[in-house]
Amino acid sequence: MSDNPEGIIQINNVFKSFGKIKALQGVSTTVRRGEVLVIIGPSGSGKSTLLRCINMLEHPDSGNIIVDGISVMHKSTDINIVRAEVGIVFQQFNLFPHLTVLENIMLAQRIVRKRPRDESKMIAEQQLKYVGIPEKAEAFPHELSGGQQQRVAIARSLAMNPKIMLFDEPTSALDPEMIKEVLDVMVSLAKGGMTMMVVSHEMGFVRAAAHRILFMDQGRIIEEGTPEEFFENPREERTRAFLSKIL
Amino acid sequence: MTTATKKIGEGRLLPLTSRLEKLPWWALLIALAAVLIVFSILTSPVYQDAFNFIREGIITTIRVTVIAYGLSLIGGLIVGLGRVSKNVIFYNLATFYVEIVRGIPMLVIILYGAFVVVPIALELINGIGNWLAGIGPLAGLGRIFQQINIQQVDMSGRAIAGLSMGYAAFEAEVFRAGIISIEKGQMEAARSLGMNYFQAMRYVILPQALRRVLPPLGNDLIAMLKDSSLISVLAVRDITQLGKLYRARSFRSFEAYNTMAFLYLSMTLSLSMVVKFLERKMSRER
């Protein structure tokens, strides 16, 4: 699988420790173009770390990660170029509180993509419409609900026209009634053919959009498969134990 | 039971004595003293004489404070960025500077700036001038650099150099505190959108950090206004220097020092009101 020419993300035997904690212990997988991969697992299993290694928010200790043909860990790689192609949505939204919603979505377009003001504004408005809150363009982040903030965060990433979107527990900080509005955007993104890696335990999303599930525990991939085979018929004892807790 | 839920004294005026205790007597006293001094300056020829003599120092004090403060903000921002930098050299140089300067009394820093740093800096500029003069197209610039000499930098210029050197270390720590108070997720979000470190600092971190450190920066402006009195050791004719001269000339210590104190106080108290206003405005915005 690892030399699959269709693999837009190739992760090869990645190790990462934080002091004594071994977050990743030899993780390898390949994500195809247009694939929606959901990573599940108990807390501390390394799911978020794996995601954050892909755009080098964490630097792996060893191994190799290739994103769209570029080795992100290579010294001569300009990581900013890779990051502009890989959107990430965080649990805590991380909107820029001093900027309006529109400015949040325009900022990186202007200074990273070097788009003129009018063009970035137009794209920002389009994306805001896509996530369903065009009327909030002039609002500040603190005036929005959690669900709305997360949708702005998604729009901010999408405005960069990324090839890949990473979601790091995008609904974990949300009140229950706001989860669906964020999942709806994610599902429509998946249906539109976006390559996505999603760390989430939202079964609604898994059922609606996931192509493949990856179960991690203690820094290793324990089991992977399509949603059907994974949920119907898990091979590993640890997977079964975990699934019985979350389902 | 219903009375138990009611707070004691609620809906009623407090007793007169406790209301009197709550009055800001200190502010009234200051106001009274100020009125007395203004009245004296207006009516008493002795105070008028003192005030007229010292008055010219106000401009010098303000000019030195404002310029030195501006320079210390620029220097402080650079050093502060060094304090949060992951670059080993930049971080260590910045920390070295901050630790040294903060451990030396401001008076000594001012003397050091005036009589050591400025002369050495000028020699350096002359040296660069000599070097540039030999390079054809830059010879003109070189000659200008060569001609700068110590006589052209008066004592108030040297005082500004000393004060801003000293305060840059304090401002650096203020900026550092502001920068590290911004949630880590902000830098991550900016970087993950493809911004480099400096773009993320410039457009995401610093705008937020600056807003947070406005009150401490304002307090440092007040502190610098007061510390500017130290430059009188360089015989710069600021409020303090003129006050000292007036006392030496007239032997009227009381009038001289009252006038000096009054001038400083009226400036620092008005500034601190501005800072308090800023603080209140910002706590409302949060």
Side-chain angles (χ1 to χ4, degrees), chain B residues 101-275:
Chain B
V101 170
R102 287 201 309 173
I104 299 175
M106 192 57 69
L107 183 55
V108 179
I109 300 267
I110 288 172
L111 292 171
Y112 207 84
F115 299 116
V116 180
V117 176
V118 170
I120 288 179
L122 291 180
E123 268 175 41
L124 263 176
I125 290 175
N126 292 153
I128 294 171
N130 287 336
W131 178 65
L132 285 180
I135 302 169
L138 294 171
L141 190 68
R143 268 193 293 281
I144 295 172
F145 277 9
Q146 278 175 320
Q147 278 158 12
I148 293 173
N149 71 44
I150 196 81
Q151 261 77 45
Q152 283 167 305
V153 183
D154 66 358
M155 274 302 164
S156 81
R158 298 188 193 203
I160 289 170
L163 263 181
S164 46
M165 267 171 48
Y167 267 78
F170 293 107
E171 308 317 344
E173 286 305 88
V174 172
F175 285 125
R176 172 177 166 272
I179 290 168
I180 60 176
S181 80
I182 304 299
E183 298 69 26
K184 206 169 146 252
Q186 291 290 310
M187 181 55 102
E188 286 189 349
R191 296 301 308 272
S192 70
L193 286 163
M195 294 183 213
N196 63 35
Y197 180 81
F198 290 100
Q199 290 169 333
M201 266 291 166
R202 158 84 182 72
Y203 294 102
V204 176
I205 307 298
L206 282 180
Q208 298 180 57
L210 287 184
R211 226 169 285 191
R212 275 188 205 180
V213 299
L214 272 183
L217 286 184
N219 285 332
D220 278 358
L221 175 58
I222 295 170
M224 187 186 251
L225 181 71
K226 292 190 288 178
D227 275 353
S228 76
S229 68
L230 293 170
I231 65 174
S232 62
V233 296
L234 303 178
V236 177
R237 294 166 71 84
D238 72 332
I239 294 174
T240 307
Q241 177 66 5
L242 288 179
K244 274 159 50 182
L245 286 178
Y246 181 78
R247 196 207 77 100
R249 213 179 62 160
S250 64
F251 296 107
R252 291 193 189 114
S253 311
F254 196 68
E255 288 83 355
Y257 292 151
N258 269 351
T259 307
M260 278 163 63
F262 166 72
L263 288 174
Y264 280 115
L265 253 183
S266 47
M267 289 192 280
T268 51
L269 287 182
S270 0
L271 271 176
S272 87
M273 272 196 281
V274 174
V275 172

Side-chain angles (χ1 to χ4, degrees), chain A residues 52 55 57-58 79-80 83-84 86 88 90 94-99 107-108 111-112 114 156-157 160, chain B residues 183-197 199-200 203-205 207-208 211 285-286:
Chain A
R52 291 161 59 84
N55 67 355
L57 286 179
E58 305 293 352
I79 191 61
N80 295 320
R83 281 176 176 156
V86 181
I88 182 165
F90 302 92
N94 295 340
L95 294 182
F96 307 136
H98 60 300
L99 300 177
L107 183 64
I111 60 184
V112 178
K114 310 261 186 263
R156 179 174 69 178
S157 285
M160 299 293 287
Chain B
E183 298 69 26
K184 206 169 146 252
Q186 291 290 310
M187 181 55 102
E188 286 189 349
R191 296 301 308 272
S192 70
L193 286 163
M195 294 183 213
N196 63 35
Y197 180 81
Q199 290 169 333
Y203 294 102
V204 176
I205 307 298
Q208 298 180 57
R211 226 169 285 191
E285 276 175 10
R286 291 271 139 215

